[in-house]
């Protein structure tokens, strides 16, 4: 009788797919198993190696395949939300469409969150990928947002009828890349416990365990050392002014723990180049020109980073950190309109103080339209749209820069 039952079970196991759905906890009892066959799966081919000596299936890692949550062949939930697809008493090699878990493993998914492949994954050596992602080399928008105020200031400092210094723009471009990477490294080191609790950030190298905090510190030291090499090529006034920004760089990541205005502190930090660019060319500051420029950048940052912060507002509430997105709430667009208006007004004041040509003011009209489009059309409940609006600010910076260059060249 036992032999007859074993033969019948073996014939069933030879079918292309076996699925077991637990109707109660008794399915795991060691003395009895209730196995139900699903419809054969035609999209895959399975080769089974049967062990005929097994009277009962052995529940080991080598003899079972688990899939949590969804039945990917029927696209529905089974039982109490668990679907156990298992192949018992045999080892299987599946050819065809891979399981969802396989896809997540290949993409580096953590906690069900997958990260899309980019040029860092495709072209850099495996050992360098974690450091490149720590410096956000795969997401250059932060470098653009740091570099544009520097470029505005360098272009403003050019002599009338002249183009801005290519040497200075090159130095500040490299400096923006390094300082942005250093800032991100500091942020990830300080926020590594918070990042693991937020969907958007849990794949960051330190939070995910790809790099250790000590490796992050070593990489931070290297970035700061290279940044110092660039700073030393500037005049003494600029060296002191540039070094003083490190206080803001190191303190900004902590602000979200204490105030609803971390975006304002980011604005003070990321727009420091509006002061430094002019000083690097002139050897001093002209407050009537650079202070309105600097403050306009702060207001601009409050616009784009508040939109950006709306991506994480639900997670921020759970974790207990603060942002202007939470502070403004349903009145966000009203606040952003005010900050956008202030930014354009301050840019106008800076241009008047620098005696720029009409081309600059024409660019301000175009930039105002871009800023108004961002604020007016932003869907603050959509993470995808908030991200797109945030990234579009590289074009706002480019419009202002082209206006400064044209306004100074044809002055």
């Amino acid at each position: 009788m036992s032999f007859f039952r074993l033969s019948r079970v073996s014939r069933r196991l030879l079918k292309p797919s076996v699925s077991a759905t637990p109707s109660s906890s008794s399915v795991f009892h060691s003395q009895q198993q209730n196995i139900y066959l699903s419809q054969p799966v035609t999209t895959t081919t399975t080769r089974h190696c049967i062990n005929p000596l097994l009277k009962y299936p052995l529940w080991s890692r080598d003899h079972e395949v688990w899939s949590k949550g969804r039945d990917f062949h029927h696209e529905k939930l089974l039982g109490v939300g668990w679907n156990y697809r298992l192949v018992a008493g045999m080892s299987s090699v599946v050819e065809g469409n891979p399981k969802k878990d396989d896809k997540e493993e290949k993409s580096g998914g953590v906690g069900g969150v997958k990260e899309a492949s980019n040029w860092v994954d495709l072209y850099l050596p495996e050992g360098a990928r974690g450091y490149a992602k720590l410096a956000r080399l795969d997401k250059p928008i932060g470098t653009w947002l740091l570099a544009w105020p520097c470029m505005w200031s360098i272009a403003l400092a050019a002599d009338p009828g002249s183009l801005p210094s290519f040497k200075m723009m090159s130095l500040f471009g490299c400096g923006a890349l390094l300082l942005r990477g250093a800032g991100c490294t500091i942020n990830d080191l300080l926020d590594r416990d918070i990042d693991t609790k937020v969907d958007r950030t849990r794949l960051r190298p330190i939070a995910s365990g790809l790099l250790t905090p000590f490796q992050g510190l070593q990489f931070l030291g290297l970035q700061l050392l290279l940044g110092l090499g660039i700073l030393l090529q500037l005049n003494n006034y600029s060296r002191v002014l540039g070094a003083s920004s490190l206080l803001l760089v190191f303190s900004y990541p902590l602000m979200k723990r204490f105030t609803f205005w971390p975006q304002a502190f980011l604005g003070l930090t990321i727009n420091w180049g509006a002061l430094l660019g002019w000083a690097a060319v002139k050897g001093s500051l002209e407050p009537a020109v650079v202070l309105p420029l600097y403050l306009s950048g702060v207001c601009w940052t409050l616009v784009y980073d508040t939109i950006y912060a709306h991506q994480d507002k639900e997670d921020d509430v759970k974790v207990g950190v603060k942002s202007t997105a939470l502070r403004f709430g349903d009145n966000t667009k009203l606040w952003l309109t005010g900050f956008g208006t202030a930014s354009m007004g301050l840019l106008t004041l800076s241009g008047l103080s620098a005696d720029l040509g009409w081309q600059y003011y024409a660019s301000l009209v175009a930039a105002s339209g871009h800023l108004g489009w961002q604020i007016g059309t932003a869907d603050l409940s959509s993470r995808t749209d908030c991200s797109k609006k945030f990234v579009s600010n590289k074009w706002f910076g480019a419009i202002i820069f082209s206006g400064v260059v044209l306004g100074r060249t044809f002055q």
Side-chain angles (χ1 to χ4, degrees):
M1 189 64 179
S2 297
F3 180 80
F4 175 76
R5 286 192 297 172
L6 176 62
S7 299
R8 188 167 63 178
V9 171
S10 298
R11 285 197 302 272
R12 291 184 176 183
L13 290 174
L14 285 171
K15 294 202 173 204
S17 176
V18 178
S19 177
T21 304
S23 59
S24 68
S25 61
S26 62
V27 73
F28 298 108
H29 291 172
S30 61
Q31 299 301 320
Q32 183 177 5
Q33 312 296 335
N34 296 319
I35 300 179
Y36 303 91
L37 297 179
S38 66
Q39 296 177 354
V41 180
T42 58
T43 58
T44 61
T45 303
T46 308
R47 299 194 300 271
H48 303 299
C49 303
I50 303 298
N51 185 346
L53 299 179
L54 294 176
K55 182 176 181 180
Y56 297 104
L58 293 180
W59 309 105
S60 66
R61 183 178 181 85
D62 296 328
H63 296 100
E64 63 188 13
V65 180
W66 302 96
S67 176
K68 179 180 178 181
R70 295 174 58 195
D71 184 336
F72 294 100
H73 299 296
H74 301 288
E75 293 294 323
K76 63 182 179 180
L77 293 174
L78 300 178
V80 291
W82 288 79
N83 169 38
Y84 298 99
R85 298 178 59 225
L86 57 91
V87 179
M90 60 184 146
S91 60
S92 303
V93 179
V94 179
E95 298 171 354
N97 296 330
K99 305 186 304 298
K100 179 185 178 185
D101 291 342
D102 290 339
K103 293 179 181 178
E104 288 182 352
E105 290 174 3
K106 291 177 183 178
S107 65
V110 176
V113 179
K114 293 187 288 185
E115 188 174 34
S117 297
N118 50 57
W119 71 270
V120 170
D121 299 304
L122 295 175
Y123 300 114
L124 290 188
E126 186 174 356
R129 293 172 192 168
Y131 295 102
K133 292 182 178 181
L134 185 59
R136 309 288 198 275
L137 295 184
D138 55 331
K139 298 174 182 177
I141 179 59
T143 302
W144 282 114
L145 296 176
L146 178 59
W148 279 130
C150 305
M151 303 306 170
W152 300 346
S153 187
I154 292 171
L156 274 173
D159 294 329
S162 301
L163 292 173
S165 169
F166 180 77
K167 176 185 176 181
M168 283 297 173
M169 290 196 298
S170 299
L171 287 175
F172 274 77
C174 294
L177 182 68
L178 290 168
L179 188 60
R180 191 270 179 128
C184 290
T185 303
I186 295 169
N187 183 81
D188 287 9
L189 286 168
L190 295 176
D191 287 354
R192 59 186 183 273
D193 294 331
I194 294 176
D195 286 345
T196 59
K197 303 173 184 177
V198 178
D199 288 340
R200 185 180 58 82
T201 61
R202 65 178 57 179
L203 290 181
R204 287 177 175 174
I206 294 178
S208 66
L210 184 61
L211 296 177
T212 66
F214 182 68
Q215 288 174 314
L217 282 172
Q218 289 178 311
F219 186 54
L220 174 61
L222 175 62
Q223 292 174 99
L224 292 177
L225 184 62
L226 293 174
L228 177 62
I230 292 177
L231 189 63
L232 291 177
Q233 298 184 54
L234 306 180
N235 56 59
N236 290 333
Y237 189 94
S238 300
R239 293 173 186 174
V240 175
L241 185 63
S244 62
S245 69
L246 291 178
L247 179 63
L248 291 170
V249 173
F250 278 91
S251 62
Y252 158 67
L254 299 173
M255 292 299 112
K256 66 174 72 74
R257 294 164 171 81
F258 306 111
T259 177
F260 281 100
W261 294 87
Q263 281 69 31
F265 281 87
L266 176 63
L268 294 172
T269 305
I270 203 171
N271 292 284
W272 198 257
L275 305 176
L276 188 59
W278 180 283
V281 176
K282 297 291 190 179
S284 62
L285 290 178
E286 182 62 45
V289 176
V290 297
L291 285 182
L293 185 69
Y294 177 57
L295 293 176
S296 72
V298 175
C299 293
W300 174 44
T301 302
L302 278 162
V303 173
Y304 67 67
D305 208 54
T306 297
I307 294 175
Y308 185 78
H310 270 274
Q311 296 180 96
D312 301 327
K313 55 190 174 186
E314 291 85 3
D315 290 322
D316 288 346
V317 171
K318 295 176 184 177
V319 175
V321 297
K322 302 174 176 64
S323 71
T324 49
L326 296 178
R327 171 65 180 82
F328 300 158
D330 294 336
N331 295 319
T332 291
K333 291 197 174 185
L334 182 62
W335 281 89
L336 297 187
T337 300
F339 286 124
T341 303
S343 179
M344 301 313 301
L346 289 164
L347 283 170
T348 301
L349 181 59
S350 180
L352 290 172
S353 299
D355 197 24
L356 295 179
W358 65 267
Q359 296 88 349
Y360 173 71
Y361 303 101
S363 75
L364 292 186
V365 173
S368 297
H370 185 279
L371 209 58
W373 165 78
Q374 283 188 62
I375 298 170
T377 64
D379 183 356
L380 301 179
S381 62
S382 169
R383 293 187 177 188
T384 300
D385 192 61
C386 286
S387 179
K388 288 180 179 179
K389 294 299 190 298
F390 171 74
V391 171
S392 73
N393 279 277
K394 63 186 177 183
W395 300 115
F396 177 89
I399 293 170
I400 299 298
F401 176 70
S402 64
V404 174
V405 171
L406 292 173
R408 183 62 86 192
T409 303
F410 296 99
Q411 186 176 357

